[in-house]
Amino acid sequence: MKQIAVLTSGGDAPGMNAAIRAVTRTGIQKGWNIFGVRDGYQGLIEGNMTEMDSRDVSGIIQRGGTFLGSARCEEFKTEAGRREALRSLNENEIDGLVVIGGNGSQTGSFNLFKMGFPVVGVASTIDNDLVGSDITIGVDTALNIALEAIDRLKVTGSSHQRAFLIEVMGRNCGYLALMSAIAGGAETVVIPEVETDPDEIAHILSQAYERGKSHAIVVVAEGAKYNATKLAEFFEKHQERIGFALRVSILGHIQRGGTPSASDRILASRLGAGAVDCLDRGEFGVLVGWVNGKVQTTPLEEVVDKTKQIDLELFDLARKLD
Ligand code: F6P
């Protein structure tokens, strides 16, 4: 290995910069040249990459987002797009590639690996839905942002005796919703993994009202069949039964834009360094993740097209603590 490239792809996640920094600095320590690719796979296709030295990644560990830029690249999903990417990697004499990203991005890296290129993935997504990592880069920060929002909404909710439907991101995975519901002391939670009857939620809210609670919080995962908008539509017809006046708050991309927490910076540094070690020992086509308290690798073919299952005991716990 003499020259490696690193890119960030898909939805950005707080901590990506720390991972780029770790790849760059540990790679340089091995005597390699490190290239930063702009805007994910799009930059790879266009050959938009520049060599980075240690100073180029100074002052980024505390910054959210990704200083290399990211993209969801449709062209890379095609055979022609991937061939173009391979051409530009060869043209720039790149020997190995690190892809920092989530599910879709690692499908991309697996496809490139199958075309014979040495690729290593780094588990990074706020959704925490990646098989091959107990926790992914960005989750801790996103969770804390959701939590801060819940805490604030409880304050205003109490002043007006209102119930809030708070929708959090996570695509098809309920992890962020579940964890923020437990940590935020929500009355209940709605996640894609568990079918929910809106009637049941209305009942939980009316009981909370009757018990004299000053507010009620329902954390709703965006991927649930009844997301916050659909639940609100249902509740409009059942207002009297619920008791509380209802408001909806959709947190959306706010969760992605935070300053990375200490946990995310450390995780990203460890996984980034782990990816360089993989390339060094010739272990390609794997995802570098955090498994059982250690940096570990999982073959990309076991990672792609899957969604990590959440612990449903935590769902029972969330519902018990209302
Ligand atoms: O995968 C991260 C994520 O933030 C999901 O939680 C969300 O569904 C999606 O990305 C949003 O995508 P975009 O940033 O392209 O709108």
Side-chain angles (χ1 to χ4, degrees), residues 145-147 149-150 153 166-168 249-255:
I145 294 169
L147 203 53
I150 293 171
L153 291 169
I166 306 174
E167 186 173 291
V168 300
S249 186
I250 296 176
L251 301 187
H253 293 84
I254 284 172
Q255 288 156 101

Side-chain angles (χ1 to χ4, degrees), residues 10-12 72 102 125-127 129 168-172 176 222 252-253 256:
D12 63 349
R72 298 192 192 280
T125 165
I126 65 159
D127 300 339
D129 59 350
V168 300
M169 276 188 164
R171 210 180 283 279
N172 300 317
L176 272 182
E222 65 172 355
H253 293 84
R256 290 223 310 248

Side-chain angles (χ1 to χ4, degrees), residues 229-287:
T229 311
K230 286 190 186 135
L231 269 183
E233 272 164 26
F234 175 88
F235 289 154
E236 245 174 53
K237 298 171 204 134
H238 298 78
Q239 180 61 62
E240 277 162 33
R241 192 173 138 209
I242 291 168
F244 293 107
L246 196 78
R247 292 291 186 273
V248 176
S249 186
I250 296 176
L251 301 187
H253 293 84
I254 284 172
Q255 288 156 101
R256 290 223 310 248
T259 299
S261 65
S263 251
D264 274 327
R265 296 181 203 190
I266 294 163
L267 178 67
S269 300
R270 296 182 86 163
L271 299 190
V276 166
D277 287 340
C278 270
L279 288 175
D280 199 22
R281 61 176 178 260
E283 190 184 358
F284 311 132
V286 291
L287 179 80

Side-chain angles (χ1 to χ4, degrees), residues 62 79 103 115 118 120 168 179 199 210 243 296 298-299:
Q62 73 278 19
E79 180 80 27
N103 246 323
M115 290 167 90
V120 169
V168 300
M179 294 306 173
D199 250 325
E210 275 160 29
Q296 291 200 33
T298 307

Side-chain angles (χ1 to χ4, degrees), residues 3-8 15-37 52-54 57 60 67-68 96-100 120-123 137 265 267-279 288:
Q3 307 215 101
I4 67 159
V6 54
L7 63 82
T8 48
M16 277 182 158
N17 280 328
I20 300 166
R21 175 177 175 270
V23 169
T24 306
R25 292 197 171 165
T26 57
I28 287 171
Q29 276 159 30
K30 289 193 191 288
W32 304 346
N33 299 327
I34 316 297
F35 287 75
V37 181
M52 300 187 294
D53 64 23
S54 204
V57 291
I60 63 167
F67 92 109
L68 287 176
L97 174 70
V98 177
V99 174
I100 303 167
V120 169
V122 169
I137 297 167
R265 296 181 203 190
L267 178 67
S269 300
R270 296 182 86 163
L271 299 190
V276 166
D277 287 340
C278 270
L279 288 175
V288 180

